[in-house]
PDB file of all heavy atoms in Angstrom:
ATOM      1  N   LEU A1114      87.012  -5.558  61.711  1.00  0.00           N
ATOM      2  CA  LEU A1114      86.406  -4.330  61.199  1.00  0.00           C
ATOM      3  C   LEU A1114      86.538  -4.268  59.734  1.00  0.00           C
ATOM      4  O   LEU A1114      87.630  -4.399  59.126  1.00  0.00           O
ATOM      5  CB  LEU A1114      87.180  -3.181  61.881  1.00  0.00           C
ATOM      6  CG  LEU A1114      86.505  -1.833  61.689  1.00  0.00           C
ATOM      7  CD1 LEU A1114      85.086  -1.706  62.223  1.00  0.00           C
ATOM      8  CD2 LEU A1114      87.456  -0.731  62.212  1.00  0.00           C
ATOM      9  N   GLN A1115      85.366  -4.068  59.113  1.00  0.00           N
ATOM     10  CA  GLN A1115      85.406  -4.056  57.584  1.00  0.00           C
ATOM     11  C   GLN A1115      85.717  -2.590  57.179  1.00  0.00           C
ATOM     12  O   GLN A1115      85.553  -1.603  57.849  1.00  0.00           O
ATOM     13  CB  GLN A1115      83.809  -4.286  57.201  1.00  0.00           C
ATOM     14  CG  GLN A1115      83.520  -5.826  57.529  1.00  0.00           C
ATOM     15  CD  GLN A1115      84.330  -6.867  57.058  1.00  0.00           C
ATOM     16  OE1 GLN A1115      84.390  -7.088  55.719  1.00  0.00           O
ATOM     17  NE2 GLN A1115      85.122  -7.557  57.802  1.00  0.00           N
ATOM     18  N   GLU A1116      86.210  -2.426  55.974  1.00  0.00           N
ATOM     19  CA  GLU A1116      86.734  -1.215  55.477  1.00  0.00           C
ATOM     20  C   GLU A1116      85.512  -0.223  55.335  1.00  0.00           C
ATOM     21  O   GLU A1116      84.421  -0.414  54.887  1.00  0.00           O
ATOM     22  CB  GLU A1116      87.289  -1.403  54.104  1.00  0.00           C
ATOM     23  CG  GLU A1116      87.921  -0.098  53.474  1.00  0.00           C
ATOM     24  CD  GLU A1116      88.691  -0.245  52.148  1.00  0.00           C
ATOM     25  OE1 GLU A1116      88.849  -1.428  51.781  1.00  0.00           O
ATOM     26  OE2 GLU A1116      89.009   0.723  51.595  1.00  0.00           O
ATOM     27  N   GLY A1117      85.688   0.967  55.955  1.00  0.00           N
ATOM     28  CA  GLY A1117      84.747   2.016  55.885  1.00  0.00           C
ATOM     29  C   GLY A1117      83.727   1.934  57.129  1.00  0.00           C
ATOM     30  O   GLY A1117      82.834   2.826  57.141  1.00  0.00           O
ATOM     31  N   TYR A1118      83.896   1.068  58.032  1.00  0.00           N
ATOM     32  CA  TYR A1118      82.987   0.805  59.155  1.00  0.00           C
ATOM     33  C   TYR A1118      83.771   1.154  60.492  1.00  0.00           C
ATOM     34  O   TYR A1118      84.834   1.131  60.469  1.00  0.00           O
ATOM     35  CB  TYR A1118      82.464  -0.596  59.200  1.00  0.00           C
ATOM     36  CG  TYR A1118      81.473  -0.884  58.162  1.00  0.00           C
ATOM     37  CD1 TYR A1118      81.817  -1.207  56.807  1.00  0.00           C
ATOM     38  CD2 TYR A1118      80.159  -0.965  58.482  1.00  0.00           C
ATOM     39  CE1 TYR A1118      80.958  -1.555  55.890  1.00  0.00           C
ATOM     40  CE2 TYR A1118      79.193  -1.332  57.488  1.00  0.00           C
ATOM     41  CZ  TYR A1118      79.509  -1.536  56.272  1.00  0.00           C
ATOM     42  OH  TYR A1118      78.605  -1.916  55.221  1.00  0.00           O
ATOM     43  N   GLU A1119      82.960   1.402  61.517  1.00  0.00           N
ATOM     44  CA  GLU A1119      83.377   1.663  62.809  1.00  0.00           C
ATOM     45  C   GLU A1119      82.516   0.769  63.713  1.00  0.00           C
ATOM     46  O   GLU A1119      81.448   0.538  63.491  1.00  0.00           O
ATOM     47  CB  GLU A1119      83.225   3.167  63.212  1.00  0.00           C
ATOM     48  CG  GLU A1119      83.994   4.169  62.347  1.00  0.00           C
ATOM     49  CD  GLU A1119      85.487   4.168  62.815  1.00  0.00           C
ATOM     50  OE1 GLU A1119      85.899   3.548  63.789  1.00  0.00           O
ATOM     51  OE2 GLU A1119      86.137   4.947  62.038  1.00  0.00           O
ATOM     52  N   HIS A1120      83.263   0.492  64.977  1.00  0.00           N
ATOM     53  CA  HIS A1120      82.560  -0.391  65.975  1.00  0.00           C
ATOM     54  C   HIS A1120      81.520   0.466  66.767  1.00  0.00           C
ATOM     55  O   HIS A1120      81.890   1.590  67.333  1.00  0.00           O
ATOM     56  CB  HIS A1120      83.674  -0.955  66.906  1.00  0.00           C
ATOM     57  CG  HIS A1120      84.523  -1.948  66.317  1.00  0.00           C
ATOM     58  ND1 HIS A1120      83.822  -3.239  65.971  1.00  0.00           N
ATOM     59  CD2 HIS A1120      85.791  -2.099  66.028  1.00  0.00           C
ATOM     60  CE1 HIS A1120      84.867  -4.016  65.515  1.00  0.00           C
ATOM     61  NE2 HIS A1120      86.001  -3.393  65.530  1.00  0.00           N
ATOM     62  N   TYR A1121      80.374  -0.073  66.810  1.00  0.00           N
ATOM     63  CA  TYR A1121      79.279   0.607  67.621  1.00  0.00           C
ATOM     64  C   TYR A1121      78.594  -0.422  68.523  1.00  0.00           C
ATOM     65  O   TYR A1121      78.568  -1.602  68.278  1.00  0.00           O
ATOM     66  CB  TYR A1121      78.289   1.268  66.767  1.00  0.00           C
ATOM     67  CG  TYR A1121      78.604   2.670  66.258  1.00  0.00           C
ATOM     68  CD1 TYR A1121      79.568   2.951  65.338  1.00  0.00           C
ATOM     69  CD2 TYR A1121      77.955   3.828  66.761  1.00  0.00           C
ATOM     70  CE1 TYR A1121      79.847   4.247  64.839  1.00  0.00           C
ATOM     71  CE2 TYR A1121      78.246   5.154  66.475  1.00  0.00           C
ATOM     72  CZ  TYR A1121      79.174   5.285  65.467  1.00  0.00           C
ATOM     73  OH  TYR A1121      79.566   6.588  65.111  1.00  0.00           O
ATOM     74  N   ILE A1122      77.899   0.179  69.581  1.00  0.00           N
ATOM     75  CA  ILE A1122      76.948  -0.685  70.284  1.00  0.00           C
ATOM     76  C   ILE A1122      75.439  -0.014  70.067  1.00  0.00           C
ATOM     77  O   ILE A1122      75.295   1.217  70.214  1.00  0.00           O
ATOM     78  CB  ILE A1122      77.106  -0.678  71.794  1.00  0.00           C
ATOM     79  CG1 ILE A1122      78.502  -1.494  72.017  1.00  0.00           C
ATOM     80  CG2 ILE A1122      76.040  -1.360  72.621  1.00  0.00           C
ATOM     81  CD1 ILE A1122      79.038  -1.385  73.480  1.00  0.00           C
ATOM     82  N   VAL A1123      74.561  -0.838  69.761  1.00  0.00           N
ATOM     83  CA  VAL A1123      73.205  -0.373  69.581  1.00  0.00           C
ATOM     84  C   VAL A1123      72.221  -0.997  70.633  1.00  0.00           C
ATOM     85  O   VAL A1123      72.438  -2.163  71.034  1.00  0.00           O
ATOM     86  CB  VAL A1123      72.518  -0.670  68.187  1.00  0.00           C
ATOM     87  CG1 VAL A1123      72.482  -2.251  68.032  1.00  0.00           C
ATOM     88  CG2 VAL A1123      71.167   0.003  68.066  1.00  0.00           C
ATOM     89  N   LYS A1124      71.408  -0.114  71.222  1.00  0.00           N
ATOM     90  CA  LYS A1124      70.496  -0.491  72.353  1.00  0.00           C
ATOM     91  C   LYS A1124      69.100  -0.692  71.823  1.00  0.00           C
ATOM     92  O   LYS A1124      68.626   0.139  70.997  1.00  0.00           O
ATOM     93  CB  LYS A1124      70.618   0.518  73.545  1.00  0.00           C
ATOM     94  CG  LYS A1124      71.936   0.708  74.169  1.00  0.00           C
ATOM     95  CD  LYS A1124      71.837   1.644  75.262  1.00  0.00           C
ATOM     96  CE  LYS A1124      73.179   1.885  75.961  1.00  0.00           C
ATOM     97  NZ  LYS A1124      73.098   2.742  77.185  1.00  0.00           N
ATOM     98  N   PHE A1125      68.328  -1.606  72.436  1.00  0.00           N
ATOM     99  CA  PHE A1125      66.933  -1.806  72.130  1.00  0.00           C
ATOM    100  C   PHE A1125      66.166  -1.682  73.479  1.00  0.00           C
ATOM    101  O   PHE A1125      66.649  -1.797  74.554  1.00  0.00           O
ATOM    102  CB  PHE A1125      66.732  -3.262  71.613  1.00  0.00           C
ATOM    103  CG  PHE A1125      67.500  -3.562  70.475  1.00  0.00           C
ATOM    104  CD1 PHE A1125      68.582  -4.607  70.588  1.00  0.00           C
ATOM    105  CD2 PHE A1125      67.444  -2.875  69.334  1.00  0.00           C
ATOM    106  CE1 PHE A1125      69.386  -4.907  69.536  1.00  0.00           C
ATOM    107  CE2 PHE A1125      68.215  -3.212  68.198  1.00  0.00           C
ATOM    108  CZ  PHE A1125      69.312  -4.183  68.384  1.00  0.00           C
ATOM    109  N   PRO A1126      64.810  -1.238  73.356  1.00  0.00           N
ATOM    110  CA  PRO A1126      64.010  -1.104  74.504  1.00  0.00           C
ATOM    111  C   PRO A1126      63.940  -2.414  75.265  1.00  0.00           C
ATOM    112  O   PRO A1126      63.746  -3.487  74.737  1.00  0.00           O
ATOM    113  CB  PRO A1126      62.649  -0.621  74.018  1.00  0.00           C
ATOM    114  CG  PRO A1126      62.843  -0.131  72.624  1.00  0.00           C
ATOM    115  CD  PRO A1126      64.003  -0.990  72.087  1.00  0.00           C
ATOM    116  N   SER A1127      63.900  -2.209  76.656  1.00  0.00           N
ATOM    117  CA  SER A1127      63.440  -3.449  77.552  1.00  0.00           C
ATOM    118  C   SER A1127      62.111  -3.550  77.512  1.00  0.00           C
ATOM    119  O   SER A1127      61.249  -2.687  77.094  1.00  0.00           O
ATOM    120  CB  SER A1127      64.232  -3.273  78.850  1.00  0.00           C
ATOM    121  OG  SER A1127      63.526  -2.187  79.610  1.00  0.00           O
ATOM    122  N   ALA A1128      61.539  -4.493  78.397  1.00  0.00           N
ATOM    123  CA  ALA A1128      60.046  -4.682  78.524  1.00  0.00           C
ATOM    124  C   ALA A1128      59.486  -3.464  79.365  1.00  0.00           C
ATOM    125  O   ALA A1128      58.220  -3.291  79.273  1.00  0.00           O
ATOM    126  CB  ALA A1128      59.922  -6.057  79.151  1.00  0.00           C
ATOM    127  N   THR A1129      60.291  -2.792  80.158  1.00  0.00           N
ATOM    128  CA  THR A1129      59.672  -1.633  80.899  1.00  0.00           C
ATOM    129  C   THR A1129      60.001  -0.374  80.379  1.00  0.00           C
ATOM    130  O   THR A1129      59.521   0.709  80.859  1.00  0.00           O
ATOM    131  CB  THR A1129      60.363  -1.792  82.411  1.00  0.00           C
ATOM    132  OG1 THR A1129      61.717  -1.772  82.256  1.00  0.00           O
ATOM    133  CG2 THR A1129      59.866  -3.011  83.060  1.00  0.00           C
ATOM    134  N   ASP A1130      60.713  -0.173  79.216  1.00  0.00           N
ATOM    135  CA  ASP A1130      60.957   1.045  78.545  1.00  0.00           C
ATOM    136  C   ASP A1130      59.854   1.533  77.670  1.00  0.00           C
ATOM    137  O   ASP A1130      58.977   0.736  77.135  1.00  0.00           O
ATOM    138  CB  ASP A1130      62.299   0.930  77.688  1.00  0.00           C
ATOM    139  CG  ASP A1130      63.415   0.791  78.534  1.00  0.00           C
ATOM    140  OD1 ASP A1130      63.512   1.350  79.525  1.00  0.00           O
ATOM    141  OD2 ASP A1130      64.296   0.067  78.065  1.00  0.00           O
ATOM    142  N   THR A1131      59.813   2.827  77.527  1.00  0.00           N
ATOM    143  CA  THR A1131      58.873   3.426  76.467  1.00  0.00           C
ATOM    144  C   THR A1131      59.538   3.354  75.084  1.00  0.00           C
ATOM    145  O   THR A1131      60.754   2.958  75.037  1.00  0.00           O
ATOM    146  CB  THR A1131      58.698   4.889  76.664  1.00  0.00           C
ATOM    147  OG1 THR A1131      59.929   5.590  76.667  1.00  0.00           O
ATOM    148  CG2 THR A1131      58.011   5.193  78.107  1.00  0.00           C
ATOM    149  N   GLN A1132      58.725   3.241  74.133  1.00  0.00           N
ATOM    150  CA  GLN A1132      59.325   3.029  72.853  1.00  0.00           C
ATOM    151  C   GLN A1132      60.390   3.954  72.378  1.00  0.00           C
ATOM    152  O   GLN A1132      61.092   3.763  71.416  1.00  0.00           O
ATOM    153  CB  GLN A1132      58.145   2.860  71.808  1.00  0.00           C
ATOM    154  CG  GLN A1132      57.408   1.518  71.703  1.00  0.00           C
ATOM    155  CD  GLN A1132      58.219   0.392  71.232  1.00  0.00           C
ATOM    156  OE1 GLN A1132      58.766  -0.374  72.137  1.00  0.00           O
ATOM    157  NE2 GLN A1132      58.387   0.254  69.994  1.00  0.00           N
ATOM    158  N   ASP A1133      60.199   5.155  72.800  1.00  0.00           N
ATOM    159  CA  ASP A1133      61.166   6.179  72.313  1.00  0.00           C
ATOM    160  C   ASP A1133      62.304   6.406  73.289  1.00  0.00           C
ATOM    161  O   ASP A1133      62.994   7.331  73.304  1.00  0.00           O
ATOM    162  CB  ASP A1133      60.423   7.516  72.290  1.00  0.00           C
ATOM    163  CG  ASP A1133      59.760   7.914  73.542  1.00  0.00           C
ATOM    164  OD1 ASP A1133      59.673   7.175  74.687  1.00  0.00           O
ATOM    165  OD2 ASP A1133      59.351   9.254  73.670  1.00  0.00           O
ATOM    166  N   ILE A1134      62.779   5.206  74.003  1.00  0.00           N
ATOM    167  CA  ILE A1134      63.786   5.371  75.004  1.00  0.00           C
ATOM    168  C   ILE A1134      65.093   5.718  74.132  1.00  0.00           C
ATOM    169  O   ILE A1134      65.931   6.343  74.691  1.00  0.00           O
ATOM    170  CB  ILE A1134      63.935   4.058  75.789  1.00  0.00           C
ATOM    171  CG1 ILE A1134      65.018   4.082  76.875  1.00  0.00           C
ATOM    172  CG2 ILE A1134      64.227   2.843  74.888  1.00  0.00           C
ATOM    173  CD1 ILE A1134      64.740   5.164  77.956  1.00  0.00           C
ATOM    174  N   GLY A1135      65.217   5.219  72.947  1.00  0.00           N
ATOM    175  CA  GLY A1135      66.411   5.488  72.185  1.00  0.00           C
ATOM    176  C   GLY A1135      66.435   6.837  71.771  1.00  0.00           C
ATOM    177  O   GLY A1135      67.684   7.449  71.922  1.00  0.00           O
ATOM    178  N   LYS A1136      65.425   7.550  71.466  1.00  0.00           N
ATOM    179  CA  LYS A1136      65.458   8.949  71.096  1.00  0.00           C
ATOM    180  C   LYS A1136      65.825   9.812  72.332  1.00  0.00           C
ATOM    181  O   LYS A1136      66.632  10.783  72.167  1.00  0.00           O
ATOM    182  CB  LYS A1136      64.072   9.354  70.564  1.00  0.00           C
ATOM    183  CG  LYS A1136      63.723   8.886  69.245  1.00  0.00           C
ATOM    184  CD  LYS A1136      62.456   9.458  68.714  1.00  0.00           C
ATOM    185  CE  LYS A1136      62.189   9.172  67.301  1.00  0.00           C
ATOM    186  NZ  LYS A1136      60.883   9.699  66.768  1.00  0.00           N
ATOM    187  N   LEU A1137      65.352   9.303  73.391  1.00  0.00           N
ATOM    188  CA  LEU A1137      65.631  10.100  74.732  1.00  0.00           C
ATOM    189  C   LEU A1137      66.998   9.980  75.102  1.00  0.00           C
ATOM    190  O   LEU A1137      67.817  11.198  75.441  1.00  0.00           O
ATOM    191  CB  LEU A1137      64.782   9.605  75.885  1.00  0.00           C
ATOM    192  CG  LEU A1137      64.908  10.370  77.222  1.00  0.00           C
ATOM    193  CD1 LEU A1137      64.559  11.908  76.990  1.00  0.00           C
ATOM    194  CD2 LEU A1137      64.068   9.795  78.329  1.00  0.00           C
ATOM    195  N   GLU A1138      67.738   8.882  75.007  1.00  0.00           N
ATOM    196  CA  GLU A1138      69.151   8.803  75.304  1.00  0.00           C
ATOM    197  C   GLU A1138      69.913   9.599  74.202  1.00  0.00           C
ATOM    198  O   GLU A1138      71.000  10.091  74.500  1.00  0.00           O
ATOM    199  CB  GLU A1138      69.530   7.318  75.311  1.00  0.00           C
ATOM    200  CG  GLU A1138      71.077   7.122  75.813  1.00  0.00           C
ATOM    201  CD  GLU A1138      71.338   5.717  76.264  1.00  0.00           C
ATOM    202  OE1 GLU A1138      70.551   4.905  76.274  1.00  0.00           O
ATOM    203  OE2 GLU A1138      72.477   5.622  76.683  1.00  0.00           O
ATOM    204  N   TYR A1139      69.400   9.539  73.019  1.00  0.00           N
ATOM    205  CA  TYR A1139      70.237  10.287  71.963  1.00  0.00           C
ATOM    206  C   TYR A1139      70.123  11.844  72.266  1.00  0.00           C
ATOM    207  O   TYR A1139      71.125  12.510  72.118  1.00  0.00           O
ATOM    208  CB  TYR A1139      69.544  10.054  70.495  1.00  0.00           C
ATOM    209  CG  TYR A1139      70.156  10.783  69.463  1.00  0.00           C
ATOM    210  CD1 TYR A1139      71.532  10.513  69.037  1.00  0.00           C
ATOM    211  CD2 TYR A1139      69.504  11.765  68.715  1.00  0.00           C
ATOM    212  CE1 TYR A1139      72.130  11.194  68.075  1.00  0.00           C
ATOM    213  CE2 TYR A1139      70.096  12.494  67.775  1.00  0.00           C
ATOM    214  CZ  TYR A1139      71.406  12.205  67.357  1.00  0.00           C
ATOM    215  OH  TYR A1139      71.939  12.950  66.385  1.00  0.00           O
ATOM    216  N   ILE A1140      68.940  12.300  72.769  1.00  0.00           N
ATOM    217  CA  ILE A1140      68.898  13.710  73.173  1.00  0.00           C
ATOM    218  C   ILE A1140      69.869  13.946  74.341  1.00  0.00           C
ATOM    219  O   ILE A1140      70.496  15.079  74.328  1.00  0.00           O
ATOM    220  CB  ILE A1140      67.453  13.951  73.748  1.00  0.00           C
ATOM    221  CG1 ILE A1140      66.483  14.055  72.391  1.00  0.00           C
ATOM    222  CG2 ILE A1140      67.346  15.378  74.431  1.00  0.00           C
ATOM    223  CD1 ILE A1140      64.994  13.998  72.799  1.00  0.00           C
ATOM    224  N   TYR A1141      69.926  13.133  75.188  1.00  0.00           N
ATOM    225  CA  TYR A1141      70.933  13.270  76.382  1.00  0.00           C
ATOM    226  C   TYR A1141      72.388  13.305  75.900  1.00  0.00           C
ATOM    227  O   TYR A1141      73.118  14.111  76.482  1.00  0.00           O
ATOM    228  CB  TYR A1141      70.599  12.193  77.410  1.00  0.00           C
ATOM    229  CG  TYR A1141      69.681  12.688  78.569  1.00  0.00           C
ATOM    230  CD1 TYR A1141      68.378  13.039  78.335  1.00  0.00           C
ATOM    231  CD2 TYR A1141      69.980  12.713  79.805  1.00  0.00           C
ATOM    232  CE1 TYR A1141      67.466  13.571  79.178  1.00  0.00           C
ATOM    233  CE2 TYR A1141      69.133  13.128  80.880  1.00  0.00           C
ATOM    234  CZ  TYR A1141      67.942  13.511  80.494  1.00  0.00           C
ATOM    235  OH  TYR A1141      67.034  13.932  81.529  1.00  0.00           O
ATOM    236  N   SER A1142      72.638  12.559  74.859  1.00  0.00           N
ATOM    237  CA  SER A1142      73.938  12.585  74.361  1.00  0.00           C
ATOM    238  C   SER A1142      74.275  13.773  73.775  1.00  0.00           C
ATOM    239  O   SER A1142      75.394  14.360  73.850  1.00  0.00           O
ATOM    240  CB  SER A1142      74.315  11.363  73.399  1.00  0.00           C
ATOM    241  OG  SER A1142      73.674  11.634  72.098  1.00  0.00           O
ATOM    242  N   LEU A1143      73.368  14.414  73.061  1.00  0.00           N
ATOM    243  CA  LEU A1143      73.425  15.765  72.499  1.00  0.00           C
ATOM    244  C   LEU A1143      73.648  16.881  73.574  1.00  0.00           C
ATOM    245  O   LEU A1143      74.586  17.735  73.508  1.00  0.00           O
ATOM    246  CB  LEU A1143      72.315  16.027  71.573  1.00  0.00           C
ATOM    247  CG  LEU A1143      72.127  15.202  70.474  1.00  0.00           C
ATOM    248  CD1 LEU A1143      70.903  15.688  69.655  1.00  0.00           C
ATOM    249  CD2 LEU A1143      73.295  15.094  69.546  1.00  0.00           C
ATOM    250  N   MET A1144      72.803  16.730  74.577  1.00  0.00           N
ATOM    251  CA  MET A1144      72.900  17.724  75.694  1.00  0.00           C
ATOM    252  C   MET A1144      74.344  17.657  76.426  1.00  0.00           C
ATOM    253  O   MET A1144      75.129  18.582  76.676  1.00  0.00           O
ATOM    254  CB  MET A1144      71.857  17.547  76.744  1.00  0.00           C
ATOM    255  CG  MET A1144      70.382  17.963  76.250  1.00  0.00           C
ATOM    256  SD  MET A1144      69.266  18.157  77.532  1.00  0.00           S
ATOM    257  CE  MET A1144      69.309  16.531  78.423  1.00  0.00           C
ATOM    258  N   ALA A1145      74.834  16.372  76.576  1.00  0.00           N
ATOM    259  CA  ALA A1145      76.020  16.146  77.251  1.00  0.00           C
ATOM    260  C   ALA A1145      77.176  16.689  76.388  1.00  0.00           C
ATOM    261  O   ALA A1145      78.081  17.299  76.987  1.00  0.00           O
ATOM    262  CB  ALA A1145      76.184  14.765  77.527  1.00  0.00           C
ATOM    263  N   ARG A1146      77.063  16.397  75.126  1.00  0.00           N
ATOM    264  CA  ARG A1146      78.223  16.948  74.271  1.00  0.00           C
ATOM    265  C   ARG A1146      78.180  18.413  74.235  1.00  0.00           C
ATOM    266  O   ARG A1146      79.461  19.147  74.319  1.00  0.00           O
ATOM    267  CB  ARG A1146      78.013  16.455  72.930  1.00  0.00           C
ATOM    268  CG  ARG A1146      79.226  16.704  71.940  1.00  0.00           C
ATOM    269  CD  ARG A1146      79.096  16.028  70.589  1.00  0.00           C
ATOM    270  NE  ARG A1146      79.195  14.512  70.754  1.00  0.00           N
ATOM    271  CZ  ARG A1146      78.192  13.621  70.665  1.00  0.00           C
ATOM    272  NH1 ARG A1146      77.010  14.177  70.259  1.00  0.00           N
ATOM    273  NH2 ARG A1146      78.347  12.493  70.828  1.00  0.00           N
ATOM    274  N   ASP A1147      77.084  19.149  74.231  1.00  0.00           N
ATOM    275  CA  ASP A1147      77.055  20.557  74.360  1.00  0.00           C
ATOM    276  C   ASP A1147      77.478  21.106  75.574  1.00  0.00           C
ATOM    277  O   ASP A1147      77.993  22.309  75.750  1.00  0.00           O
ATOM    278  CB  ASP A1147      75.613  21.067  73.942  1.00  0.00           C
ATOM    279  CG  ASP A1147      75.319  20.930  72.430  1.00  0.00           C
ATOM    280  OD1 ASP A1147      76.309  20.675  71.721  1.00  0.00           O
ATOM    281  OD2 ASP A1147      74.254  21.192  72.072  1.00  0.00           O
ATOM    282  N   ALA A1148      77.356  20.257  76.506  1.00  0.00           N
ATOM    283  CA  ALA A1148      77.841  20.663  78.021  1.00  0.00           C
ATOM    284  C   ALA A1148      79.339  20.415  78.183  1.00  0.00           C
ATOM    285  O   ALA A1148      79.887  20.578  79.319  1.00  0.00           O
ATOM    286  CB  ALA A1148      77.132  19.842  79.130  1.00  0.00           C
ATOM    287  N   LYS A1149      79.970  20.129  77.050  1.00  0.00           N
ATOM    288  CA  LYS A1149      81.445  19.890  76.950  1.00  0.00           C
ATOM    289  C   LYS A1149      81.847  18.728  77.830  1.00  0.00           C
ATOM    290  O   LYS A1149      82.982  18.675  78.286  1.00  0.00           O
ATOM    291  CB  LYS A1149      82.231  21.207  77.518  1.00  0.00           C
ATOM    292  CG  LYS A1149      81.975  22.366  76.673  1.00  0.00           C
ATOM    293  CD  LYS A1149      82.806  23.582  77.293  1.00  0.00           C
ATOM    294  CE  LYS A1149      82.430  24.874  76.453  1.00  0.00           C
ATOM    295  NZ  LYS A1149      83.287  26.040  77.041  1.00  0.00           N
ATOM    296  N   ILE A1150      80.947  17.775  77.824  1.00  0.00           N
ATOM    297  CA  ILE A1150      81.335  16.449  78.495  1.00  0.00           C
ATOM    298  C   ILE A1150      82.008  15.570  77.306  1.00  0.00           C
ATOM    299  O   ILE A1150      81.527  15.594  76.270  1.00  0.00           O
ATOM    300  CB  ILE A1150      80.133  15.705  79.040  1.00  0.00           C
ATOM    301  CG1 ILE A1150      79.683  16.425  80.385  1.00  0.00           C
ATOM    302  CG2 ILE A1150      80.351  14.269  79.421  1.00  0.00           C
ATOM    303  CD1 ILE A1150      78.335  15.930  80.924  1.00  0.00           C
ATOM    304  N   GLN A1151      83.050  14.958  77.682  1.00  0.00           N
ATOM    305  CA  GLN A1151      83.667  13.979  76.712  1.00  0.00           C
ATOM    306  C   GLN A1151      82.707  12.859  76.435  1.00  0.00           C
ATOM    307  O   GLN A1151      82.522  11.979  77.105  1.00  0.00           O
ATOM    308  CB  GLN A1151      85.014  13.564  77.121  1.00  0.00           C
ATOM    309  CG  GLN A1151      85.769  12.652  76.157  1.00  0.00           C
ATOM    310  CD  GLN A1151      87.106  12.133  76.727  1.00  0.00           C
ATOM    311  OE1 GLN A1151      87.433  12.210  77.892  1.00  0.00           O
ATOM    312  NE2 GLN A1151      87.777  11.392  75.850  1.00  0.00           N
TER     313      GLN A1151
END
């Protein structure tokens, strides 16, 4: 781990996904956090 960085995983669309699949999962992560899910 380099100074000032954090470990992440990034996802890419599969052959059957819509191009905005990343945006949709991001929206769901915001909803889940607001729903008090860890």
Side-chain angles (χ1 to χ4, degrees):
L1114 187 66
Q1115 303 298 294
E1116 186 176 353
Y1118 285 78
E1119 296 283 357
H1120 287 292
Y1121 273 75
I1122 294 175
V1123 62
K1124 297 183 178 183
F1125 306 115
S1127 72
T1129 58
D1130 287 326
T1131 59
Q1132 280 295 98
D1133 59 350
I1134 186 68
K1136 287 185 175 181
L1137 185 57
E1138 188 164 359
Y1139 180 64
I1140 289 169
Y1141 266 57
S1142 75
L1143 299 179
M1144 288 198 303
R1146 188 173 291 110
D1147 284 352
K1149 299 182 181 179
I1150 289 174
Q1151 183 186 3

